[in-house]
């Protein structure tokens, strides 16, 4: 491509760059929100990024690849609990932000349903943690978080402690197997009391009710969970077997309430879109009436048959949508604008404000993203600003209140040099919005952030290496020298190196030193030794954890390397395909791009990373320290009897979920598609197959029922063709 080229593969270069930037932002936001329980952007900002991604992919369909955030649900599961497969995929919801969005959704639903899709069920969108409960023969068998939609964290022991969640269903006609979906939350008043108790105990309070619910449900000790005021409300089902199947969402709620499950009494079934809008407007005005935090309304088509006809996209049902309320706003004083340096060198301005309570928590900091955003918002240091906090996550400054200016305000000037290492800042490439510190190898801030990230749960998962410890290792008090100058030093650490280290305690969000309110001086900690100069429990734990971390799976090792665009999902794809760090390091760009879920853009980034000498030094130093660099060989594939064939699965198959049926086909080499076309080899149709059955008939696609599906799996496609329902017979 010449330097004057404006398109690549028919897509404008500017669109490619923006898509890459948004993808990184969305994946990072999901990771921090769902896994770390430490959200760094508002719901509103995330929604804006996601909408822009969708718009880019609609304008340029080639950007919609399997590794795009728009094709994924939720986020990776944590590393603290056993992993379980959901019986049916847990999807996300598309969002509406105004009446026009709602009308557009309803119009599309009416077109796809070929008629009025109503009535509609409206319910409040609780700002909590999604959960799936499995009851077998009426007994609670399992509770799991949503995770990435297919795999979640097994939190059964903690779920059993939630008040109102029955351990056994009651009543007649209980399904032999039912998967119930709902939201775990902490009531607002209970949240306030909980935070007061934590403060009295000298512990940090939770940022908001959602984080408190998520943190409580992920406690390793269920006795702690039992002491917290968790509650749950049910809002749907994934699987229902062995009992009379309800015909509508509202019927499900009636049945679940009869079984003893907690169901909200605030939902309403309305006949048309006017009723939907009236419900939305009522709770816009009465947002704080419920006992729990809400951030909108969920609208569902009530009839299950219509739901099946509409189906889903790759991540969200077409029969439901979330109407998001505007985030809450307050005014406060902008005292200063400072900058922080992240693990990729990105230098980010952030606002320092007079403390203000918004959405139930006190706020002093807000990100400003980059200098261009500061300029675009038109804010000056000293302004009174409008602060918006959406969904109780990290806030953002909306705009200045210019009518309140008195002339003392001053303009923010972006620094030209890194505030931590003094290196001149630069854009990585032309057109970038973010300045970065190019001193990737030696910048203390970047090293600190990378070490802290590498120790995270989805990477090396090292207990004892939190933010304070990472700071102590990389930025001890002078005249001490850092014992960790790059990631390469990490696995060579010894107790002797740790003992003398003292460090300034820094704020995790800003990286600035914390001040002791009694002395007015910086807080200093001797983190790795006790008052007798002996190794502390933290020091011994860290050394033990480093030894254990040498055996983490390859995917976690890849995440720990901080390769741009290689988060947990991409790392898992790479590890499954390549099996060793050497195979990845020595693969060509084309070979990397051929890995499912990777693509050319990420492949180029991976190749570039491994071509840097000091990056390879990290690998070799870790290898020399005994870090495992490969996974066990992949299990041998069974006979690929369905290779080259394409299938669509619809309806309810006895003995299979939709996902397990698809996996059975894929394991034999078959390709599973979401919609029927002339290229479909077979439609696998269970009960209540819906519109896909009709389309297969119209296109002449052979149809297999449950018995025919078993013939296909056991005897192959030729035998299945003999028992398939021919379109003319359907």
């Amino acid at each position: 491509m010449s330097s004057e080229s404006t398109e690549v593969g028919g897509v404008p270069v500017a669109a490619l760059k923006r898509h890459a930037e948004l993808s990184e932002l969305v994946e990072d936001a999901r990771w921090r929100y769902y896994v770390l329980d430490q959200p760094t952007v508002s719901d509103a900002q995330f929604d804006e990024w996601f909408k822009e991604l969708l718009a880019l992919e609609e304008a340029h369909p080639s950007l919609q690849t399997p590794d795009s955030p728009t094709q994924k649900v939720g986020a990776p599961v944590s590393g603290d609990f056993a992993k379980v497969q959901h019986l049916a995929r847990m999807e996300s919801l598309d969002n509406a932000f105004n009446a026009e969005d709602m009308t557009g959704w309803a119009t599309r639903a009416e077109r796809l349903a070929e008629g009025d899709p109503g009535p509609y069920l409206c319910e409040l969108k609780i700002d909590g943690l999604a959960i799936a409960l499995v009851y077998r023969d009426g007994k609670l068998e399992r509770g799991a978080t949503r995770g990435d939609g297919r795999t979640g964290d097994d939190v059964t022991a903690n779920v059993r402690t939630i008040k109102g969640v029955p351990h056994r269903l009651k009543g007649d006609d209980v399904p032999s197997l039912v998967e119930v979906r709902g939201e775990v939350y902490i009531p607002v008043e209970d949240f306030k009391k909980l935070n007061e108790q934590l403060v009295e105990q000298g512990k940090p309070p939770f940022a908001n009710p959602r984080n408190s619910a998520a943190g409580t449900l992920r406690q390793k000790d269920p006795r702690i969970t039992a002491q917290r005021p968790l509650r749950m409300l049910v809002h749907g089902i994934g699987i229902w077997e062995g009992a009379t199947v309800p015909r509508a969402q509202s019927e499900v709620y009636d049945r679940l309430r009869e079984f003893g499950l907690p169901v909200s009494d605030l939902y309403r079934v309305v006949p048309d879109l006017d009723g939907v809008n009236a419900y939305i407007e009522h709770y816009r005005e009465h947002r704080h009436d419920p006992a729990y935090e809400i951030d909108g309304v969920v609208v569902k088509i009530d009839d299950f048959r219509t739901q099946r006809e509409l189906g889903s996209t790759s991540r969200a049902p077409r029969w439901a949508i979330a109407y998001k309320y505007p985030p809450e706003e307050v005014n406060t004083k902008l005292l200063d604008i400072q900058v922080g340096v992240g693990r990729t060198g990105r230098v980010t301005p952030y606002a320092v404000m007079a403390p203000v309570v918004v959405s139930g928590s006190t706020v002093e900091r807000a990100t400003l993203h980059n200098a261009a955003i500061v300029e675009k918002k038109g804010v000056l240091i000293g302004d009174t600003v409008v602060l918006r906090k959406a969904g109780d996550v990290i806030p953002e400054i909306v705009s200045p209140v210019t009518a309140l200016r008195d002339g003392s305000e001053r303009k923010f000037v972006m620094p030209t040099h890194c505030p931590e290492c003094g290196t001149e800042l630069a854009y990585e490439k032309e057109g970038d919005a973010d300045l970065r510190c190019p001193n990737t190898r030696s910048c203390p801030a970047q090293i600190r952030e990378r070490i802290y990230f590498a120790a995270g749960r989805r990477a090396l998962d090292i207990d004892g290496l939190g933010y304070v410890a990472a700071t102590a290792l990389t930025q001890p008090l002078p005249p001490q020298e850092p014992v960790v100058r790059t990631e390469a030093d990490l696995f060579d650490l010894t107790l002797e190196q740790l003992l003398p280290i003292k460090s300034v305690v820094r704020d995790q969000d800003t990286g600035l030193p914390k001040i002791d309110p009694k002395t007015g001086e910086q807080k200093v900690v001797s983190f790795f030794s006790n008052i007798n100069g002996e190794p502390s429990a933290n020091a011994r734990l860290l050394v033990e954890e480093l030894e254990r971390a040498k055996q983490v799976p390859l995917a976690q090792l890849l995440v720990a390397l901080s390769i741009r665009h290689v988060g947990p999902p991409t790392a898992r794809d790479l590890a499954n395909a390549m099996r060793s760090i050497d195979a990845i390091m020595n693969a060509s760009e084309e070979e990397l791009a051929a890995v499912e879920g990777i693509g050319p853009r990420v492949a180029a980034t991976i190749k570039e990373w491994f071509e840097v000498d000091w990056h390879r030094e990290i690998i070799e130093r870790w290898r020399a320290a005994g870090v495992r660099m490969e996974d066990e060989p992949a299990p041998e594939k069974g006979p690929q009897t369905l290779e080259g064939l394409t299938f669509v699965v619809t309806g309810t198959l006895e003995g299979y979920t939709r996902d397990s049926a698809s996996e059975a086909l894929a394991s034999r080499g078959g390709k599973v598609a979401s919609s029927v076309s002339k290229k479909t080899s077979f439609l696998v149709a269970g009960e209540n197959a819906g519109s896909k059955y009709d389309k297969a008939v119209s296109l002449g696609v052979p149809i297999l029922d449950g018995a025919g599906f078993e013939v296909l799996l056991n005897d192959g496609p030729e035998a299945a063709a003999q028992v398939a329902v021919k379109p003319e017979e359907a």
Side-chain angles (χ1 to χ4, degrees):
M1 182 184 73
S2 72
S3 60
E4 298 180 356
S5 297
T6 59
E7 292 187 348
V8 177
V11 179
V13 170
L16 284 169
K17 290 180 177 179
R18 183 57 178 160
H19 188 273
E21 179 185 15
L22 289 169
S23 296
E24 182 180 4
L25 291 170
V26 167
E27 292 283 28
D28 185 67
R30 280 175 167 167
W31 171 252
R32 291 180 181 273
Y33 186 89
Y34 289 106
V35 179
L36 299 182
D37 289 328
Q38 296 172 352
T40 54
V41 296
S42 67
D43 280 353
Q45 179 65 75
F46 181 89
D47 290 336
E48 288 173 13
W49 288 339
F50 203 85
K51 283 175 66 178
E52 189 176 349
L53 265 181
L54 290 171
L56 281 170
E57 292 179 0
E58 184 176 354
H60 310 288
S62 64
L63 294 176
Q64 191 184 88
T65 60
D67 64 330
S68 170
T70 66
Q71 305 303 298
K72 300 175 184 178
V73 175
V77 293
S78 78
D80 290 338
F81 295 88
K83 312 302 181 293
V84 292
Q85 296 289 322
H86 295 301
L87 300 185
R89 184 164 66 103
M90 295 183 71
E91 299 173 309
S92 293
L93 290 174
D94 288 333
N95 294 326
F97 297 93
N98 50 50
E100 290 75 17
D101 290 347
M102 286 300 304
T103 300
W105 170 76
T107 301
R108 289 190 297 274
E110 183 175 358
R111 184 179 67 250
L112 292 170
E114 300 180 350
D116 183 5
Y120 302 88
L121 183 144
C122 304
E123 59 190 2
L124 300 180
K125 186 175 181 296
I126 303 171
D127 194 15
L129 185 71
I131 197 81
L133 308 183
V134 175
Y135 286 87
R136 193 179 299 274
D137 297 324
K139 184 178 180 181
L140 177 61
E141 179 177 274
R142 188 179 78 200
T145 62
R146 181 173 69 171
D148 62 8
R150 297 183 183 276
T151 304
D153 289 331
D154 188 339
V155 290
T156 307
N158 289 341
V159 165
R160 293 183 186 278
T161 71
I162 299 176
K163 184 177 180 180
V165 174
H167 294 191
R168 183 176 291 277
L169 302 181
K170 63 183 182 180
D172 298 325
D173 201 24
V174 172
S176 59
L177 178 65
V178 61
E179 185 185 51
V180 179
R181 273 79 182 277
E183 206 80 5
V184 172
Y185 66 95
I186 289 182
V188 175
E189 290 304 314
D190 289 334
F191 165 75
K192 293 177 181 177
K193 294 176 183 177
L194 173 61
N195 264 356
E196 289 172 0
Q197 293 170 1
L198 292 173
V199 171
E200 289 174 359
Q201 296 166 8
K203 298 177 181 178
F206 287 108
N208 53 64
R210 190 266 171 200
N211 287 135
S212 65
T216 298
L217 196 62
R218 292 189 175 116
Q219 288 288 331
K220 293 181 179 180
D221 186 348
R223 291 173 297 182
I224 297 176
T225 305
Q227 296 170 8
R228 302 275 176 84
L230 286 183
R231 299 293 183 271
M232 177 185 174
L233 283 176
V234 172
H235 58 54
I237 57 173
I239 292 293
W240 181 293
E241 296 178 0
T244 305
V245 180
R247 293 172 296 178
Q249 190 82 26
S250 52
E251 285 189 25
V252 162
Y253 287 0
D254 292 338
R255 295 287 298 281
L256 295 179
R257 188 181 285 110
E258 293 171 1
F259 296 158
L261 285 158
V263 179
S264 172
D265 58 1
L266 300 180
Y267 75 87
R268 297 290 181 269
V269 177
V270 298
D272 51 32
L273 199 58
D274 288 341
V276 170
N277 290 331
Y279 184 93
I280 290 171
E281 291 307 311
H282 174 80
Y283 279 103
R284 190 194 304 274
E285 296 298 320
H286 297 271
R287 182 171 178 175
H288 299 290
D289 289 0
Y292 40 81
E293 289 279 358
I294 67 170
D295 57 3
V297 168
V298 175
V299 182
K300 302 173 182 177
I301 292 168
D302 194 37
D303 180 69
F304 278 161
R305 181 169 183 173
T306 306
Q307 288 185 13
R308 289 191 293 269
E309 288 176 354
L310 295 182
S312 301
T313 65
S314 62
R315 62 176 296 276
R318 296 187 180 92
W319 47 266
I321 195 166
Y323 186 97
K324 302 290 285 290
Y325 287 134
E328 296 180 334
E329 299 177 349
V330 297
N331 286 6
T332 189
K333 197 76 170 179
L334 177 61
L335 304 177
D336 198 4
I337 298 177
Q338 299 174 359
V339 298
V341 184
R343 66 186 174 94
T344 63
R346 180 184 176 193
V347 179
T348 305
Y350 60 89
V352 180
M353 298 167 295
V356 62
V357 176
V358 55
S359 295
S361 60
T362 300
V363 175
E364 298 180 70
R365 301 283 189 272
T367 181
L368 288 166
H369 303 293
N370 54 57
I373 294 295
V374 178
E375 185 75 22
K376 182 179 179 181
K377 290 181 181 292
V379 294
L380 302 177
I381 298 169
D383 268 335
T384 296
V385 294
V386 178
L387 178 70
R388 178 169 64 189
K389 194 175 186 191
D392 289 327
V393 293
I394 298 300
E396 64 174 343
I397 288 176
V398 179
S399 62
V401 184
T402 56
L404 297 178
R405 285 179 175 167
D406 60 12
S408 64
E409 299 81 13
R410 68 185 191 278
K411 190 174 182 179
F412 166 70
V413 179
M414 190 73 178
T416 58
H417 291 73
C418 176
E420 298 219 27
C421 73
T423 302
E424 185 174 0
L425 303 178
Y427 294 105
E428 188 173 59
K429 52 186 178 295
E430 186 177 352
D432 277 0
D434 299 318
L435 279 169
R436 295 182 186 270
C437 171
N439 184 18
T440 310
R441 182 174 189 175
S442 305
C443 176
Q446 294 182 60
I447 297 169
R448 177 187 67 231
E449 298 297 324
R450 291 201 302 268
I451 292 297
Y452 173 61
F453 178 81
R457 287 182 295 179
R458 293 298 292 174
L460 298 176
D461 192 18
I462 301 173
D463 282 347
L465 187 45
Y467 199 79
V468 175
T471 303
L473 294 172
T474 60
Q475 296 173 272
L477 288 177
Q480 296 171 324
E481 292 292 325
V483 296
V484 175
R485 289 178 171 82
T486 76
E487 296 92 315
D489 296 326
L490 189 59
F491 286 100
D492 293 331
L493 283 174
T494 65
L495 279 175
E496 290 71 27
Q497 288 177 302
L498 299 177
L499 291 181
I501 295 176
K502 288 183 171 58
S503 178
V504 172
V505 180
R506 294 178 180 270
D507 184 276
Q508 183 171 319
D509 294 325
T510 67
L512 296 175
K514 287 187 175 182
I515 304 300
D516 188 321
K518 295 181 179 179
T519 65
E521 297 179 352
Q522 294 180 351
K523 287 187 176 181
V524 176
V525 62
S526 184
F527 197 79
F528 298 111
S529 62
N530 59 29
I531 57 175
N532 298 320
E534 299 167 335
S536 65
N538 285 334
R540 296 186 186 281
L541 174 64
L542 176 56
V543 172
E544 292 171 2
E545 284 288 292
L546 284 167
E547 188 63 30
R548 183 198 53 77
K550 293 177 182 179
Q551 300 303 315
V552 297
L554 178 60
Q556 290 177 237
L557 185 68
L558 289 169
V559 172
L561 294 174
S562 282
I563 305 170
R564 288 187 71 184
H565 309 310
V566 181
T570 302
R572 189 163 53 246
D573 291 337
L574 270 176
N576 289 339
M578 298 287 191
R579 313 304 297 180
S580 78
I581 201 78
D582 289 324
I584 297 168
M585 186 163 50
N586 298 321
S588 67
E589 197 170 314
E590 291 74 20
E591 290 170 329
L592 292 169
V595 173
E596 184 175 357
I598 302 299
R601 176 175 59 88
V602 178
T605 303
I606 295 168
K607 191 64 180 174
E608 288 172 7
W609 192 92
F610 280 105
E611 287 175 348
V612 176
D613 290 345
W614 69 271
H615 289 166
R616 284 182 174 255
E617 180 187 347
I618 295 171
I619 302 297
E620 297 312 319
R621 290 271 302 281
W622 285 9
R623 192 198 307 273
V627 176
R628 190 176 72 177
M629 294 287 165
E630 60 185 15
D631 284 342
E632 297 295 327
E636 292 186 9
K637 290 183 178 180
Q640 302 294 283
T641 55
L642 305 182
E643 191 168 7
L645 301 180
T646 300
F647 302 87
V648 174
V649 180
T650 187
T652 303
L653 288 165
E654 185 175 355
Y656 293 90
T657 65
R658 188 78 58 84
D659 284 347
S660 66
S662 298
E663 289 169 6
L665 294 168
S667 69
R668 292 163 173 80
K671 178 182 177 182
V672 182
S674 59
S675 59
V676 179
S677 70
K678 292 181 179 179
K679 296 181 180 179
T680 305
S681 306
F682 290 93
L683 174 71
V684 179
E687 295 182 11
N688 305 311
S691 59
K692 291 180 181 178
Y693 186 97
D694 297 333
K695 188 168 185 180
V697 171
S698 67
L699 294 176
V701 174
I703 301 168
L704 296 173
D705 58 13
F709 182 56
E710 294 294 346
V711 171
L712 174 73
L713 298 180
N714 296 326
D715 303 321
E718 293 183 3
Q722 300 301 313
V723 298
V725 178
K726 306 299 187 293
E728 60 272 15
E729 301 170 351

